[in-house]
Amino acid sequence: MSKKEAENKEEKKVLTKYDLKMQRREEERKKARRDELTGRITGIVVVLALLCLVLSFPIRSYLTINGTYIEVAGEKVSRVEFDYHYNLMKNSYITQNSYYLSMFGIDLSKDPSAQMYNDQLTFQDYFEQMAVNNIAENKALRDQMKAAGFTYDATGEYAKYEEAIRTAASVQGVTEKAYIQQLYGPYATASRVKGFVIENMELGAFYEQVSREKAPTEAEIKAYYEENADSYDSVNYRILTFNAELPTEPTELADPVDETESAEGEEGADGDKAYTPSDAEIEFAMGEARNKADAALGDISTLGDLQENVKKSAVSTQLRDWLFDDTRKEGDSSVIENTASHLYYVVEFVSRYLDQTPTADARIIVLGADSEVTADAVLDEWKSGSATEDSFAELAEKYGSSAEGGLYEGLTAGAMTDELAAWILDSARTEGETAVITGNEETHTDADGTTHTGTTTYVVYYVGTNAPAWSLDIEGILLTERMNAYVEEISQGYEVTNDKGNLNYFKIQEAEKASESGSGESESEEPETSEGSDNAQ
């Protein structure tokens, strides 16, 4: 048999069951070897992947802390810096608006991204927008400070800040690191935010200097007053009030009532509903009240209740125009109707004037009912030292005054408790006088639910008199307008770039712009750019 014939015969050989069995075993051995090899390779890959992941932790942390989160005028802003400003704006907003937020059932201690600020923005969006504005304005102000060659040594102020952090952390029973993270975000540490804190102190000092330079003059304050005299003048006047005696049950002037409806009303849920007088009954009662008012007009000078130093904003709307009429003169009187309240006023004008009573400045240490130190002990501590205004200010800082050095300027009676006002606004007060003043009783509840009742006390240092309230108010208005205009001007061109899409409110703004332009398409997926502040837009 030739070789070719033998090969053809081999190809045509029929496989037995044994042959198939051996073939399957061989295939299984090959598969096992492949699986083993694959497993080894996969294991190596997994180990390498885990190793890369572990090694990437510090890299990712570094990028988060030092990488670019947004840019302002081409300057990179890290996540730590952004979080610092975000939390400053958030905490400031909550402090200033906590009462109103609670009225509307808003709790910003919970996730702000799940609560709406308005129809478009969540509170997180809003706080991020505020943070961006603040960052851009700070960068602009910093550049102005450098250009002006202004320097400020923040060493002492920063030391006080560190002490305040230590004290607050201790009171809350947490570490300083944990407290700083509560204040400024999860990536914040004392060392990471130190530069931002010091810069804020420097910018604050520079801002104060610019404010002093831009402070309005007395002539400018007087000119503003003359244009807005109605808002600042006070009036003295006498008044009597005559209420219409409306019937509490139907009279002969009552509207006709369907007997069936009346019976059903008495048997129903509204059977005890207060009686509503008819128009005729109201008209009759008002007529009676008017007669009494007219009769009293001649006696208003002797019988009227004297109202003194009343601002226009505090006067009943029905009386404002009459009392603050420029033609009004002493002795003018009138009967004025209040239709909504069903009454008549009998009024006599006495005088109109600008209240020149000076305000007062004082340093005040407030000790709550739960204070561990008494007011007398604090005052004795001050007396045992240098006993100066500066040393009192240091004590105010030591005992946690909310005002810097415990200084409160431009105090009026309405801004203080009656006890404080009586002492501070006493015309016999002299500069440098001190006192301990007992305030109102209050209740304090500990974390364990224990309730304590005590009295707030005040340690007071009298600084001196200040300008009248109207002058300080106008000075504040004019200065605020000027400083807002100044910040707006210097912030021009401080463009904010959100290339990485970290800030959602940019996307909302882009969508709104697209909608307004009629394009119907949002470019929110593209790198976004916006001005650094609302002022700069």
Side-chain angles (χ1 to χ4, degrees), residues 455-492:
T455 303
T456 301
T457 53
Y458 308 91
V459 187
V460 188
Y461 180 100
Y462 183 76
V463 176
T465 59
N466 204 331
W470 69 269
S471 179
L472 293 178
D473 183 67
I474 293 175
E475 181 182 13
I477 290 172
L478 293 177
L479 185 56
T480 298
E481 290 177 349
R482 292 177 182 184
M483 292 306 294
N484 285 345
Y486 167 74
V487 172
E488 178 181 353
E489 180 182 358
I490 66 173
S491 298
Q492 292 291 336

Side-chain angles (χ1 to χ4, degrees), residues 51-68 187 192 500:
L51 180 60
C52 290
L53 184 62
V54 171
L55 292 175
S56 74
F57 285 157
I59 297 173
R60 285 184 294 156
S61 178
Y62 177 85
L63 291 175
T64 299
I65 295 167
N66 301 288
T68 303
Y187 301 104
R192 289 171 187 167
K500 296 184 178 180

Side-chain angles (χ1 to χ4, degrees), residues 66-358:
N66 301 288
T68 303
Y69 194 70
I70 59 171
E71 289 188 11
V72 177
E75 182 177 342
K76 296 178 180 180
V77 175
S78 69
R79 175 65 184 272
V80 176
E81 182 176 1
F82 178 83
D83 283 354
Y84 171 78
H85 288 275
Y86 173 90
N87 285 283
L88 282 183
M89 296 297 100
K90 174 186 173 182
N91 295 335
S92 175
Y93 180 88
I94 293 174
T95 300
Q96 294 176 19
N97 299 281
S98 58
Y99 174 73
Y100 299 102
L101 291 171
S102 63
M103 286 180 61
F104 290 100
I106 298 171
D107 183 2
L108 292 178
S109 64
K110 300 177 181 178
D111 185 3
S113 68
Q115 301 176 77
M116 298 304 295
Y117 171 75
N118 58 28
D119 291 342
Q120 297 293 325
L121 303 177
T122 65
F123 271 97
Q124 178 171 314
D125 294 333
Y126 179 63
F127 295 144
E128 288 179 344
Q129 188 174 32
M130 291 174 68
V132 165
N133 295 347
N134 195 56
I135 292 169
E137 290 172 359
N138 275 16
K139 301 294 185 189
L141 198 61
R142 178 204 59 193
D143 291 346
Q144 291 293 313
M145 179 177 69
K146 289 181 178 179
F150 178 86
T151 59
Y152 173 73
D153 185 1
T155 304
E157 189 175 353
Y158 187 75
K160 292 179 181 179
Y161 160 83
E162 288 183 303
E163 179 60 31
I165 291 292
R166 284 193 290 270
T167 301
S170 176
V171 169
Q172 289 197 14
V174 298
T175 64
E176 290 178 39
K177 180 179 180 180
Y179 185 71
I180 287 174
Q181 288 178 337
Q182 288 178 21
L183 284 179
Y184 305 127
Y187 301 104
T189 63
S191 60
R192 289 171 187 167
V193 301
K194 181 178 180 179
F196 309 136
V197 173
I198 291 177
E199 183 179 75
N200 256 8
M201 293 173 178
E202 294 170 343
L203 293 179
F206 178 65
Y207 189 90
E208 287 182 9
Q209 175 176 287
V210 176
S211 297
R212 288 192 292 270
E213 294 171 354
K214 294 183 177 295
T217 64
E218 290 186 12
E220 291 170 330
I221 291 173
K222 184 178 180 181
Y224 184 93
Y225 156 72
E226 290 173 350
E227 293 178 3
N228 302 274
D230 277 6
S231 298
Y232 295 98
D233 282 351
S234 299
V235 292
N236 293 348
Y237 63 96
R238 293 185 176 87
I239 187 170
L240 289 171
T241 303
F242 294 90
N243 291 286
E245 297 180 2
L246 302 178
T248 57
E249 57 185 30
T251 68
E252 64 275 9
L253 296 175
D255 291 334
V257 178
D258 184 283
E259 302 249 350
T260 303
E261 292 180 0
S262 177
E264 290 176 353
E266 291 175 2
E267 295 174 1
D270 296 331
D272 295 331
K273 185 177 180 180
Y275 175 66
T276 302
S278 67
D279 290 343
E281 288 173 321
I282 293 173
E283 184 179 354
F284 176 80
M286 287 292 284
E288 293 287 296
R290 176 63 193 242
N291 291 336
K292 293 177 183 178
D294 288 340
L297 191 59
D299 298 320
I300 184 64
S301 297
T302 55
L303 299 180
D305 296 324
L306 180 61
Q307 308 294 313
E308 297 181 289
N309 200 7
V310 183
K311 298 292 192 293
K312 188 174 184 178
S313 60
V315 176
S316 172
T317 54
Q318 291 78 17
L319 303 178
R320 287 178 187 173
D321 290 342
W322 188 86
L323 284 171
F324 284 85
D325 190 322
D326 290 337
T327 64
R328 194 65 53 230
K329 60 184 183 296
E330 184 179 358
D332 285 353
S333 60
S334 180
V335 174
I336 299 175
E337 182 181 38
N338 183 332
T339 305
S341 299
H342 303 122
L343 58 82
Y344 284 93
Y345 302 109
V346 181
V347 192
E348 181 185 54
F349 180 82
V350 177
S351 61
R352 173 173 171 169
Y353 55 95
L354 181 62
D355 183 13
Q356 298 288 0
T357 304

Side-chain angles (χ1 to χ4, degrees), residues 394-509:
E394 290 175 2
L395 278 183
E397 296 287 345
K398 175 181 177 180
Y399 291 107
S401 174
S402 58
E404 185 175 352
L407 180 61
Y408 295 86
E409 298 178 293
L411 290 169
T412 61
M416 299 178 281
T417 64
D418 293 341
E419 295 84 3
L420 279 173
W423 190 85
I424 292 176
L425 299 179
D426 188 335
S427 60
R429 201 91 290 130
T430 59
E431 294 181 12
E433 278 191 81
T434 58
V436 169
I437 297 173
T438 301
N440 301 320
E441 187 175 79
E442 63 180 38
T443 300
H444 171 72
T445 303
D446 292 338
D448 61 2
T450 306
T451 300
H452 308 275
T453 300
T455 303
T456 301
T457 53
Y458 308 91
V459 187
V460 188
Y461 180 100
Y462 183 76
V463 176
T465 59
N466 204 331
W470 69 269
S471 179
L472 293 178
D473 183 67
I474 293 175
E475 181 182 13
I477 290 172
L478 293 177
L479 185 56
T480 298
E481 290 177 349
R482 292 177 182 184
M483 292 306 294
N484 285 345
Y486 167 74
V487 172
E488 178 181 353
E489 180 182 358
I490 66 173
S491 298
Q492 292 291 336
Y494 280 74
E495 188 179 79
V496 178
T497 305
N498 181 40
D499 283 344
K500 296 184 178 180
N502 290 317
L503 305 179
N504 183 60
Y505 84 86
F506 273 79
K507 299 176 183 179
I508 295 172
Q509 289 180 341

